[in-house]
Amino acid sequence: MTYNTQREKMRLPEYGRYVHEMARHIASLPDRDVRQREAEALVSIMANINPDDKDQPDFMQRIWDHLAYLCDYRLDIDFPYEVTRLGEEARKPERLPYPWHDIGQRHYGHLIEEALDMLRQMPPGPKRDKMAERVANQMKQSLFVWNRDAMDNEKVAADMYNYTQGEVELDLRSFRFAPVCDMPRSYDPLKKKKK
C-alpha cells in the first residue's frame, strides 16, 4: 500500500492529488486536439474546486496559470491567456517574527512591566500616585487570575518596589486595593473556549 507521505510532494495541494495526476496525464497525451479538450475540462474542474473565487477578475487566468504550473510549463496547447510563471507567488511566505518580550514574571505580562517602567520614570506627585494605584490594582487582579494562592497585598507591594527599583513604594497601612473580580474556580485562562 502506498501512503501519501511516500508519494511525491504536490505542487498546489489545494487542488488535491487527482487533479495533479490528471494534469500529468494530459501533458503526456500525444494528440494536441485531445490535450486541448482535456485541458479545458480539467480547468473547469479546477474552477469548481474554488467557487468562492469566481468573482475575482483574473480568476480564469489564474486557473490556467495553475494548470501550466502543474504541468511544469511543458503543456503544449493553445492557452486562452498568456501564461504567467508562478515564481514568487508559489513560494511559501517567510515566517513572521513573534513579538517576544523578556518578562520577569509572566503573570504580570509585558504591559504591566512597561507601565511600571513608566511609573519609575515619573516625578513624584498626585499623577504618579494615581497611576501607581491603578497599576497595583491590575497587578493584584493578574495575581488573582493566575495564582490565587500567592495573591496578597504584601506581594504586590514588594513586586512594585522591585520593578521600580525602589522609586515607588506602596504604604499598605493607607493604601486600599480595589476588590478583585471573582471568577469561577474552574476558570483557566490558558484553555480556549469551545465553540
Side-chain angles (χ1 to χ4, degrees):
M1 177 178 236
T2 319
Y3 295 101
N4 283 338
T5 54
Q6 296 168 334
R7 294 172 153 184
E8 85 177 66
K9 191 173 178 183
M10 291 188 288
R11 300 184 96 179
L12 294 172
E14 61 265 25
Y15 291 113
R17 195 161 298 279
Y18 291 120
V19 171
H20 285 70
E21 290 173 4
M22 285 189 278
R24 214 172 301 119
H25 171 72
I26 290 170
S28 68
L29 292 172
D31 187 7
R32 184 181 170 92
D33 293 332
V34 174
R35 268 196 316 264
Q36 182 73 37
R37 191 173 60 245
E38 297 292 323
E40 290 170 2
L42 183 57
V43 162
S44 70
I45 291 171
M46 291 167 70
N48 286 334
I49 289 175
N50 297 319
D52 297 337
D53 297 341
K54 285 187 179 181
D55 298 335
Q56 295 179 359
D58 62 339
F59 175 70
M60 288 309 292
Q61 180 176 359
R62 217 167 9 102
I63 297 292
W64 282 99
D65 290 343
H66 288 175
L67 177 63
Y69 177 69
L70 289 176
C71 297
D72 204 22
Y73 301 105
R74 286 186 249 156
L75 185 60
D76 183 27
I77 60 169
D78 296 324
F79 286 93
Y81 303 97
E82 184 178 336
V83 174
T84 309
R85 288 189 170 261
L86 299 175
E88 294 298 313
E89 300 102 26
R91 263 192 348 190
K92 279 188 176 179
E94 288 187 24
R95 194 176 175 119
L96 291 174
Y98 186 78
W100 186 255
H101 303 280
D102 289 329
I103 302 172
Q105 297 183 30
R106 288 184 135 340
H107 52 269
Y108 290 137
H110 77 87
L111 293 177
I112 296 238
E113 290 186 354
E114 286 178 17
L116 286 164
D117 190 45
M118 286 174 48
L119 191 62
R120 182 178 57 84
Q121 296 170 7
M122 289 175 76
K127 191 174 182 182
R128 183 172 95 170
D129 294 342
K130 189 69 173 167
M131 185 170 173
E133 177 186 332
R134 290 182 177 164
V135 171
N137 282 318
Q138 184 59 46
M139 289 170 72
K140 186 167 181 180
Q141 184 71 38
S142 294
L143 277 174
F144 179 77
V145 169
W146 288 97
N147 190 359
R148 292 182 185 190
D149 298 333
M151 180 194 73
D152 64 347
N153 298 343
E154 290 81 20
K155 177 161 177 44
V156 172
D159 287 345
M160 182 175 275
Y161 182 82
N162 292 335
Y163 270 114
T164 60
Q165 298 168 357
E167 292 288 323
V168 179
E169 187 173 359
L170 289 180
D171 183 12
L172 293 177
R173 293 180 304 247
S174 62
F175 185 79
R176 296 286 171 248
F177 283 97
V180 290
C181 170
D182 195 14
M183 294 180 189
R185 278 265 175 211
S186 62
Y187 175 74
D188 185 358
L190 296 177
K191 287 185 180 176
K192 297 194 179 209
K193 290 182 177 179
K194 294 181 181 177
K195 292 184 179 180

